[in-house]
Amino acid sequence: MTVTVIARNTFKEAVRDRVLYLLLFFAAVSILFARVLALLTVGDRVKIIEDVGLASISFFGALMAILIGTGLVYKEIEKRTIYTLLAKPIRRHEFLLGKFLGLVLTLAVLLAAMSLIFLGLVLAHTGRIEWGLLVAVVMIFFELILITAVAILFSSFSTPILSSLFALAFYLIGHFSWSLETLLKKIPAGATRTILRFLYTLLPDLENFNLKAEVVHHLPIAGAQLLYSAAYGLVYAAFILGLAIVIFRRRDFI
Amino acid sequence: MSAVLEITEIRKSFSTGFIPRRKDILKGISLSVGEGEIYGYLGPNGAGKTTTIKCVLGLIFPNAGKIMLFGRDHLDRRAKENLGFLPENPYFYDYLTGREFLDFYGQLFSIPRSERAAATSRLLKLVDMDRAADLPLRKYSRGMLQRIGLAQALINSPALVILDEPLGGLDPLGRKEIRDLILRLRDEGKTVFLSSHILQDIEMICDRVAIIVSGRILSQGRLSDLVSETVLFTEITVSGVAESDLAALGESLSTQAGRTLLKVCDEPNIEAVLALVRAQNGKVHSLIPRTRTLEDIFVDMVKPQ
């Protein structure tokens, strides 16, 4: 199938890119740095290691999704490789979906690599493998799927630098939009509140995917919540990808 | 002869700049390429050759007009199954090796694995790139990219091959090889559509040509019709003849080492010159009739623009 062929090639492209290994190196350094932080902490050192480790995985995962994702489509256009590709029996949405799936596959492998380092570090400290932590990693994966879609959306019509900034803004907004909810509870009903409610509905809420506190402190997690968050990520990503396809479908490659 | 590619009245304009200004690139292009011919698309830089090709491939959408490939709409997936394309100044995935690259494109045509391997090896040999097959494309020179690009255009053994400036960036030997290859494609029954701004390329291999200047096709037809067979004048080089006797018969262009190059316009004068040479025991070194070349036509057409 065309989509899988392009996805496989995209994976190959990402894996042969040196930037990826640089990011992976820094991610590893960041995860291991948690060990140093733990030394400086009074109290439960393991919790610090787990918390900082998961935060590193989330941050570097997002960075990889943005930096690779924003370049993927743009590079094809800029270097004109897309000319020969689209001259083959490929529909444009298949191209975009292939790129998307290829990057999602790459991110899955990277997350697995980072998790291995992370679980290894925790193992060294506690003497056991904390499988529960992986629940948080899986949720990070859903967040990365959404960020990848956003990166591809921007890169289908903008330059990598701008796209990276847009996608980074999306990431930051997504992680702080919950404060709007807090604000909503505090202001009286009226026009302002309606506007805020509208904004809050529209803006992404990436804190849905943040289960760090729960897994680190062994708090109970409702299965329904996991399901809801996963569905939220997938539906949002599908919407963003649809938007990218609409933009990409009628574009002239001059 | 059925039309493999039929372009009817396509127009395309772009708006560029901060304050958008409309710029018409194609102003109603119509042409028809028949099965099994080599069709040359000739024009100066910026005439709209590549834009036309991109319209055919569906990379850009014309504002008006119709394009048919093998009797289907050109965006039809089945039409593209039989199409091969080599872009101008090709650049490909530099992280792939030549073999991987061809294999990747073969997969896009859903060619089974075993056939793919065979086709890849055959094409690598055809374009003389088998020695660089396992080198990443980033190490390829421009001429090598051109060759591997031609190989990818043939991976699905297409019925129609579209080549945008296929001889650009090649050394003389490479140009000859690619030219021979294009002729071989025609002998295999394929149709070739190639664009160029270099006249010799087209003149040597094309059956029919279209000349495009600033978005309009100025002329198209068989090369033999465009380049008239009528002799414009004849150049004769003679020696051992008194120059004063020749002056009445033609214009003396140069005299070097006793040889005179004479431009003779009227046909009876040619016989007169030959008779004169015989009478004075002189020698004829060459006699060349000059016809109108594609270059003359091209220069004539481009000038008023």
Side-chain angles (χ1 to χ4, degrees):
Chain A
M1 236 186 82
T2 317
V3 175
T4 50
V5 174
I6 295 178
R8 267 210 307 271
N9 190 55
T10 305
F11 179 72
K12 213 181 253 178
E13 174 180 0
V15 170
R16 291 184 186 179
D17 193 345
R18 284 189 204 103
V19 175
L20 194 75
Y21 297 98
L22 197 70
L23 281 171
L24 195 60
F25 171 74
F26 279 113
V29 168
S30 176
I31 292 168
L32 296 175
F33 184 64
R35 173 77 186 84
V36 181
L37 279 183
L39 290 177
L40 303 171
T41 322
V42 185
D44 196 340
R45 288 181 172 177
V46 175
K47 286 199 172 25
I48 291 293
I49 289 174
E50 289 178 353
D51 205 35
V52 174
L54 281 173
S56 303
I57 291 176
S58 165
F59 177 72
F60 279 96
L63 212 58
M64 286 165 183
I66 291 172
L67 288 183
I68 305 169
T70 52
L72 274 185
V73 178
Y74 182 81
K75 252 198 299 197
E76 294 258 359
I77 300 169
E78 183 66 17
K79 296 192 169 174
R80 304 180 184 177
T81 45
I82 198 165
Y83 292 2
T84 42
L85 206 56
L86 290 185
K88 308 273 180 273
I90 297 172
R91 295 198 186 88
R92 291 192 177 185
H93 69 264
E94 291 174 329
F95 168 77
L96 222 50
L97 285 179
K99 285 273 154 192
F100 170 73
L101 290 177
L103 184 51
V104 167
L105 180 67
T106 313
L107 290 170
V109 172
L110 286 171
L111 272 185
M114 289 194 284
S115 302
L116 213 65
I117 299 169
F118 176 54
L119 287 182
L121 183 68
V122 175
L123 175 72
H125 266 262
T126 60
R128 62 203 150 85
I129 299 172
E130 298 267 0
W131 293 110
L133 293 172
L134 286 184
V135 177
V137 176
V138 169
M139 279 299 124
I140 289 173
F141 181 56
F142 280 104
E143 178 181 350
L144 294 189
I145 290 177
L146 175 51
I147 292 174
T148 304
V150 170
I152 285 195
L153 166 68
F154 288 127
S155 97
S156 67
F157 65 86
S158 185
T159 60
I161 293 183
L162 275 181
S163 309
S164 299
L165 285 177
F166 289 148
L168 205 63
F170 178 91
Y171 178 74
L172 292 178
I173 289 171
H175 275 289
F176 291 105
S177 62
W178 57 270
S179 54
L180 276 179
E181 196 185 15
T182 320
L183 190 63
L184 273 173
K185 285 179 190 145
K186 296 210 166 145
I187 58 170
T192 323
R193 193 168 156 169
T194 317
I195 293 169
L196 277 180
R197 173 144 296 284
F198 175 71
L199 256 180
Y200 177 64
T201 316
L202 197 70
L203 290 175
D205 187 354
L206 298 180
E207 282 297 310
N208 275 330
F209 306 107
N210 184 357
L211 292 182
K212 286 189 218 55
E214 284 85 344
V215 294
V216 170
H217 295 279
H218 301 288
L219 302 175
I221 305 166
Q225 191 199 340
L226 290 180
L227 221 58
Y228 167 79
S229 295
Y232 175 79
L234 293 180
V235 170
Y236 209 125
F239 170 73
I240 298 279
L241 272 183
L243 211 61
I245 287 169
V246 168
I247 292 173
F248 201 63
R249 210 174 49 186
R250 297 301 303 174
R251 200 184 148 167
D252 280 339
F253 298 109
I254 304 169
Chain B
M1 200 162 61
S2 58
V4 169
L5 168 65
E6 180 108 52
I7 299 177
T8 324
E9 273 298 306
I10 56 164
R11 292 170 186 281
K12 180 70 190 174
S13 58
F14 293 114
S15 298
T16 49
F18 183 65
I19 301 164
R21 271 189 54 202
R22 230 172 74 109
K23 197 162 174 250
D24 295 325
I25 305 292
L26 301 180
K27 303 163 185 165
I29 298 278
S30 298
L31 59 87
S32 162
V33 180
E35 202 181 326
E37 66 177 346
I38 301 181
Y39 195 97
Y41 199 41
L42 180 68
N45 292 327
K49 297 186 299 284
T50 300
T51 306
T52 311
I53 289 175
K54 281 185 187 171
C55 285
V56 172
L57 298 171
L59 289 170
I60 60 181
F61 300 95
N63 303 119
K66 212 169 84 173
I67 303 171
M68 302 290 277
L69 268 174
F70 310 105
R72 300 176 197 278
D73 185 81
H74 70 298
L75 295 177
D76 193 316
R77 201 192 179 102
R78 282 167 297 177
K80 286 193 178 165
E81 298 270 359
N82 280 316
L83 192 71
F85 168 58
L86 168 70
E88 185 183 5
N89 303 332
Y91 183 90
F92 303 112
Y93 304 98
D94 55 12
Y95 51 90
L96 294 179
T97 67
R99 197 184 298 278
E100 284 175 329
F101 170 64
L102 291 182
D103 189 65
F104 169 46
Y105 277 12
Q107 288 176 45
L108 292 174
F109 285 101
S110 319
I111 302 170
R113 184 186 293 265
S114 54
E115 280 177 43
R116 239 168 32 226
T120 302
S121 301
R122 188 176 57 79
L123 285 172
L124 282 168
K125 199 162 284 164
L126 185 74
V127 297
D128 196 22
M129 271 294 107
D130 38 358
R131 65 205 144 82
D134 298 308
L135 221 60
L137 295 186
R138 84 168 63 91
K139 300 214 168 117
Y140 277 36
S141 71
R142 210 174 139 199
M144 290 163 87
L145 282 175
Q146 196 86 17
R147 284 156 187 268
I148 203 85
L150 195 59
Q152 66 76 32
L154 302 174
I155 189 81
N156 53 328
S157 50
L160 170 65
V161 191
I162 297 179
L163 310 170
D164 196 359
E165 301 275 1
L167 303 178
L170 292 177
D171 53 33
L173 192 66
R175 296 167 72 85
K176 188 187 173 323
E177 280 176 20
I178 300 289
R179 254 193 328 254
D180 291 347
L181 204 75
I182 292 172
L183 289 171
R184 203 153 103 199
L185 292 176
R186 181 188 52 187
D187 295 341
E188 286 171 17
K190 297 186 196 315
T191 310
V192 181
F193 180 93
L194 66 93
S195 82
S196 179
H197 65 274
I198 296 167
L199 291 143
Q200 285 88 341
D201 299 349
I202 298 240
E203 213 161 17
M204 283 165 100
I205 53 176
C206 292
D207 301 308
R208 285 203 304 152
V209 296
I211 298 177
I212 174 178
V213 178
S214 349
R216 277 198 191 87
I217 289 188
L218 291 187
S219 179
Q220 62 176 322
R222 299 216 144 267
L223 204 53
S224 51
D225 296 341
L226 284 183
V227 183
S228 77
E229 295 287 330
T230 53
V231 177
L232 297 175
F233 59 89
T234 309
E235 285 175 0
I236 311 175
T237 317
V238 294
S239 65
V241 183
E243 224 174 296
S244 52
D245 296 334
L246 292 171
L249 300 169
E251 189 186 340
S252 168
L253 293 177
S254 74
T255 311
Q256 251 179 1
R259 293 184 183 188
T260 308
L261 176 63
L262 204 63
K263 179 180 167 184
V264 181
C265 291
D266 299 322
E267 221 162 311
N269 282 354
I270 299 170
E271 292 301 326
V273 170
L274 294 180
L276 194 68
V277 170
R278 270 193 296 272
Q280 300 192 3
N281 273 334
K283 213 170 166 190
V284 176
H285 297 277
S286 71
L287 191 150
I288 307 164
R290 293 285 180 197
T291 53
R292 239 157 86 89
T293 62
L294 199 52
E295 187 160 345
D296 299 326
I297 300 168
F298 190 59
V299 169
D300 282 353
M301 281 178 178
V302 177
K303 224 182 265 168
Q305 295 293 317

